[in-house]
Each structure stands twice: as structure tokens, then as C-alpha cells.
Amino acid sequence: MRLLMTRPRAASHRFVAQLSPELQETLEVIYSPLLDIQPTGAAIDLTGVRGLIFTSSNGVNIAARQVEDRELPVFCVGAATTEMAHRAGWQATNAGETSEALIGTLLQRRPESPLLHLRGEHVRGNIAQTLTQLGLSVRDQAIYDQRLLEFSPEARAALDGVGPVIAPLFSPRTARQFADLGAGNAPIWFAALSDAVAKPLETISFQDLRIAKRPESDAMCKTVEKLVKQVNRLEGQRDAL
């Protein structure tokens, strides 16, 4: 059984490492990132900034190379991004598992502002604009780009084959690229981080699609484990015929 990882390679390796050793032994992992994270190279302007917002670990990694001030309060989306910010030396707060939750947390806490959202070129919604309109001054700056990639030859061969493929997807942009590239002939089981990630997959065929109970890595691991069990049951039933 193949596990097709389409996140940037470092994030993919972190996710696979979270799976149980027993599960890892049953899977052939194929790494085929569909996004290439590239810093824009723009200098980060902290003039007057009283705090930072990160909605991805990519933003944390790139900002940590430029920003020396670790005293600024940091507000993050998700446990993984928060942990990455802690490792970079910031006192980070997990403000929720989604952008909507982060907005709600910040409106409730009303931290000193203006805040600066350090993000990628391509994002869903506009956190800075929404918060500013609701009375909390926030500006944003794109510090990295997410360039689309093709499937690797190994990934394409798996998708054009006959063996089962399990594909965890973590962002709407990656899901859209997956759908646009075409799924091939292989039976595919998708694990989606959220409804927004699942939406672009409606245009292609698949065996099953499960959405994680929470938009976080641990919940995605459990979703993948359930899909593996489901595939094993189906394969066992076919072998018994």
C-alpha cells in the first residue's frame, strides 16, 4: 500500500514520523511535493509592530531567519505552528486550529496592536483586513511563495497503477493542484484536513474521502490509520473471493 505525501518534504517527513512504527512498516511512502516554498526575499518591516501572527510553520521558519526580536508576543494557528515558534525562541500562543478561531481569540484578548501577519502569497481569506475592520489593527506581509509543482515520476506511476494509494492533503491549494493534475487509474483514498481541503477533490474520482475530526496533525494521523484499516479489509475480502 502506498502513502502519497504531497506536502513540502520537511513537513511530509514530520507527518510520517508521527505515524505508528507498525503502520509505517506496512506503507511504501512516496514523496512528491506539489508546493515549493520559496522566500520572497523581502525585508520584514517591524516598524511599530507589537506582536506577530503566524498561520503556518513555513512563515515561522522564514521569519526566524530575519527577525531577531524574540520578545514580541506571537499568535499562531495550530499546535504544529505554535511548537515551531516555541522552538524558534518565541513565547507563542496557540490561538486556535483555524484562521477563524484565531480571529475570534484575538478579538477576545485584544492584545496590543498593531500586529503583523507574516504569511504566504496564497492564503484563504484576509486575516489582517478582517481584524482591522473589527477594530484590532493588523497588517500583513507575504514573506514566501507557494509555487505549484507536478507529480514526480514515482507518484505518477503509482497513480496510474492498480495498487491502492492513500493521499493525505493539508491545504486547499494542494488539493486543487492534485485535482488539476489528474488522479489516474489507481484506487485512491483521501484524507483531508478540512472541508475546504476536501472541496476541490469533488471533480475527480476516488474510493473514499475522510475529513479529519480536527484540522491538526494528530487527527490527520488517525484518519490515515482508519483508511489503512479500511483498505486492508477490502483487500482481504478480495483475496477471500
Side-chain angles (χ1 to χ4, degrees), residues 7 26 46-47 52 56 67 76 122 132-133 160 162 167 172 184 187 216 228 233-234 237 239:
R7 303 182 87 184
T26 70
L46 293 178
T47 304
L52 301 175
S56 78
V67 179
C76 300
H122 304 277
T132 298
Q133 290 174 345
D160 288 339
V162 296
E216 59 186 28
V228 170
R233 283 197 302 270
L234 290 174
Q237 290 170 5
D239 291 341

Side-chain angles (χ1 to χ4, degrees), residues 83-105:
E83 176 61 24
M84 192 71 69
H86 278 306
R87 291 180 183 178
W90 279 294
Q91 293 298 313
T93 298
N94 185 346
E97 296 300 331
T98 64
S99 296
E100 292 77 10
L102 175 135
I103 289 170
T105 297

Side-chain angles (χ1 to χ4, degrees), residues 4-7 15 34 151 166-179 188-194 197-198 200-201 204 209-210 212 220 224:
L4 177 55
M5 297 300 305
T6 56
R7 303 182 87 184
F15 180 77
L34 294 183
F151 284 123
I166 293 177
L169 294 173
F170 293 81
S171 76
R173 186 166 165 81
T174 302
R176 171 51 57 198
Q177 177 69 346
F178 197 115
I188 303 177
W189 280 259
F190 285 115
L193 185 70
S194 66
V197 175
L201 302 174
I204 60 176
L209 186 157
R210 295 196 179 198
M220 280 291 281
V224 168

Side-chain angles (χ1 to χ4, degrees), residues 107-129:
L107 290 175
Q108 182 180 31
R109 294 193 179 191
R110 295 284 174 176
E112 290 187 76
S113 60
L115 304 176
L116 175 62
H117 178 200
L118 296 172
R119 58 170 179 80
E121 291 278 5
H122 304 277
V123 294
R124 290 181 62 249
N126 191 319
I127 290 174
Q129 181 179 12

Side-chain angles (χ1 to χ4, degrees), residues 37-49:
I37 306 301
Q38 291 291 333
T40 63
I44 296 174
D45 182 9
L46 293 178
T47 304
V49 170

Side-chain angles (χ1 to χ4, degrees), residues 20-63:
S20 68
E22 295 78 15
L23 189 60
Q24 292 183 47
E25 289 178 1
T26 70
L27 297 170
E28 175 190 345
V29 183
I30 298 173
Y31 296 98
S32 180
L34 294 183
L35 294 180
D36 180 29
I37 306 301
Q38 291 291 333
T40 63
I44 296 174
D45 182 9
L46 293 178
T47 304
V49 170
R50 307 304 295 271
L52 301 175
I53 296 173
F54 292 115
T55 46
S56 78
S57 56
N58 296 316
V60 175
N61 285 332
I62 292 167

